[in-house]
Amino acid sequence: MPADPLYRAGEPQRSTTTQPPGGSGASAIEVRRSARRRRTVSAYREGDRTVVLIPARMSKAEEQRWVTVMLDKLAAQESRKILGDAELAERAERLSAQYFAGRARPASVRWVTNQNTRWGSCTPAEGSIRLSHRLQGMPEYVVDYVLCHELAHLLVPGHGPDFWRLLEAYPRTERARGYLEGVVAAARLPHVPGARGEQNA
């Protein structure tokens, strides 16, 4: 996308203010674009508003995606609570009752540190579910989505149409998938040193 002449270096940043998506916890979101900002995205709370700083070159669609990612990151930082294995198992049991009529019954649910290329795994024959430690501190609805994904595998092993129909019961599937895709995309970009709280864009 070509640079907008309104964003020439040295000129004031342009900002827009919008209402946040439901549940963000802030009354308004202010997006500030800057030509000097090349690859990083950052966000912080300023009173009852959330300020998101992005490069001027970003499209509207990229802006919306990054606003969602940064709101979720802030929410995760502010309510960071690491669930233990016992709490994770209880959460899986509640999710199974809520979305799968209690039919998905794992024998064990635990965090593991050896899953760096996937978010979770399930061994249906053993009834075991393992979640990557990288999910710790992410928004609750993202952890719940991965748990639901693995619980669904206890009922349908593969990723065919029956599996995805089953997973549709969890109402935040698309949002959670979008969040995780944003995390993966950010990790693939070249690292540019930035201030604390910044993400490469």
Side-chain angles (χ1 to χ4, degrees):
M1 175 180 173
D4 189 320
L6 289 174
Y7 305 142
R8 281 192 288 269
E11 292 188 6
Q13 297 173 331
R14 191 172 86 172
S15 66
T16 56
T17 303
T18 60
Q19 289 304 114
S24 71
S27 63
I29 303 159
E30 182 178 342
V31 178
R32 296 179 186 167
R33 291 173 172 262
S34 171
R36 286 176 291 190
R37 183 175 286 269
R38 297 294 179 191
R39 290 185 180 275
T40 57
V41 176
S42 62
Y44 59 91
R45 304 286 192 206
E46 192 175 76
D48 64 350
R49 116 184 5 250
T50 302
V51 177
V52 181
L53 308 173
I54 65 173
R57 64 176 171 78
M58 274 195 179
S59 68
K60 205 67 182 160
E62 288 174 314
E63 173 186 317
Q64 290 172 354
R65 181 173 67 83
W66 277 104
V67 165
T68 299
V69 168
M70 297 310 288
L71 285 175
D72 286 339
K73 283 185 72 68
L74 282 175
Q77 290 166 3
E78 291 165 354
S79 61
R80 195 175 296 276
K81 181 189 174 192
I82 306 301
L83 299 174
D85 287 349
E87 293 168 303
L88 201 60
E90 288 172 13
R91 195 179 198 99
E93 188 177 332
R94 285 197 306 273
L95 290 168
S96 176
Q98 187 172 0
Y99 299 113
F100 306 115
R103 294 183 300 127
R105 298 191 182 113
S108 66
V109 184
R110 61 192 174 90
W111 295 108
V112 293
T113 58
N114 63 350
Q115 289 190 159
N116 294 315
T117 58
R118 52 188 174 176
W119 300 111
S121 62
C122 172
T123 307
E126 299 173 1
S128 62
I129 289 174
R130 296 163 299 281
L131 262 58
S132 171
H133 71 288
R134 295 177 300 146
L135 289 163
Q136 293 175 335
M138 286 190 187
E140 289 183 0
Y141 75 89
V142 176
V143 177
D144 285 353
Y145 162 72
V146 177
L147 274 174
C148 282
H149 186 108
E150 303 310 332
L151 286 166
H153 276 312
L154 291 176
L155 304 174
V156 181
H159 286 105
D162 290 344
F163 172 82
W164 293 111
R165 271 195 295 273
L166 193 61
L167 197 54
E168 282 173 6
Y170 181 63
R172 304 183 85 178
T173 289
E174 287 308 311
R175 187 175 180 202
R177 284 171 61 85
Y179 180 93
L180 292 172
E181 285 168 4
V183 170
V184 170
R188 288 180 179 156
L189 291 166
H191 175 70
V192 176
R196 186 176 173 212
E198 289 193 336
Q199 280 288 131
N200 287 333

